Amino acid sequence: MANSTSAKTPRTAPGKTVHKIKITLRDSRPPIWRRLEVPSGITLRELHDVIQAAFGWEGYHMWAFESGRDRYGVADRDLGIRSAASKRLGQVAPHTGDRLRYTYDFGDDWEHDILIEDVTAPEAGTAYPRCLTGRRACPPEDCGGIWGYDYLIEILADPRHEEHEDRLEWLGLDSADQFDPAAFDAAQVNSELSALATVLIKN
């Protein structure tokens, strides 16, 4: 068993490798996703901050990661949640093809599927985390989960809908054109991530 594990482990120490991950908002159609590169040594608590910044969530709801039977977040014995600050991404998902789940807002249940696409050596002079690409805008907070979001988009697309004006007011918009569900700007995401980024290998 030890030999098979070591055969899969990158030659570079986990603290000096980079995980390329794809994070997809579960059940979103069309898919809402981000592809990121993050340090393998990042804690799950830090990864939470990265996901919040990459998607555009506002961070005021409860959250947890799930890996197998283990749950990590803000430690809560009653909920069976262990401290996310005590586990690193490279520990819970060390290999290409590994997966874990991130849930944000236990009411709306925004579930994010995280796939480890690659584990590589970092590039010299490059700051991580960084966003490589992605698709579509983050849903507004508190809109009722993915099904509520689909309904919100339907309402915004129909000026004659009885809830149209109420939803615009709730979102703080003057017109539905001000919210584009297809919008995504990698440069803006990287600007948000810059406060969390560090260079692993200097030039």
Side-chain angles (χ1 to χ4, degrees):
M1 182 66 72
N3 288 340
S4 64
T5 301
S6 61
K8 293 181 180 179
T9 303
R11 294 179 182 177
T12 310
K16 293 295 184 182
T17 58
V18 169
H19 271 49
K20 183 165 77 171
I21 60 178
K22 184 177 181 181
I23 309 171
T24 304
L25 193 56
R26 192 175 181 85
D27 294 322
S28 57
R29 299 289 185 272
I32 300 168
W33 57 271
R34 307 287 183 264
R35 177 170 285 115
L36 310 173
E37 287 182 329
V38 302
S40 302
I42 197 172
T43 67
L44 295 184
R45 177 63 185 82
E46 293 166 331
L47 183 58
H48 158 72
D49 291 335
V50 169
I51 295 173
Q52 290 284 308
F55 275 82
W57 296 120
E58 297 178 30
Y60 51 75
H61 291 293
M62 293 182 67
W63 53 276
F65 289 92
E66 294 177 45
S67 176
R69 296 181 179 179
D70 296 321
R71 300 180 76 201
Y72 302 95
V74 177
D76 188 316
R77 183 174 294 180
D78 292 338
L79 294 177
I81 299 176
R82 300 161 65 184
S83 172
S86 68
K87 281 291 182 180
R88 300 186 182 277
L89 177 60
Q91 293 175 307
V92 298
H95 308 127
T96 299
D98 285 347
R99 297 174 181 269
L100 62 157
R101 176 80 50 81
Y102 169 76
T103 301
Y104 173 61
D105 185 348
F106 294 170
D108 279 2
D109 278 331
W110 299 106
E111 295 184 333
H112 305 67
D113 291 321
I114 303 174
L115 170 65
I116 312 306
E117 293 188 321
D118 204 359
V119 182
T120 62
E123 298 176 13
T126 298
Y128 302 94
R130 64 175 178 173
C131 178
L132 301 177
T133 187
R135 290 293 184 275
R136 304 188 69 79
C138 181
E141 298 266 2
D142 302 320
C143 68
I146 196 64
W147 313 116
Y149 179 51
D150 289 343
Y151 184 51
L152 175 63
I153 292 175
E154 179 183 322
I155 292 171
L156 293 178
D158 182 5
R160 295 172 297 179
H161 195 286
E162 62 182 5
E163 296 182 41
H164 186 82
E165 293 300 324
D166 288 341
R167 292 302 183 103
L168 285 178
E169 183 178 353
W170 178 69
L171 289 168
L173 303 178
D174 295 322
S175 71
D177 294 341
Q178 292 175 301
F179 179 74
D180 181 3
F184 172 75
D185 186 340
Q188 182 179 350
V189 172
N190 280 312
S191 177
E192 295 294 328
L193 290 173
S194 63
L196 307 172
T198 56
V199 175
L200 300 182
I201 298 179
K202 295 181 179 179
N203 286 320

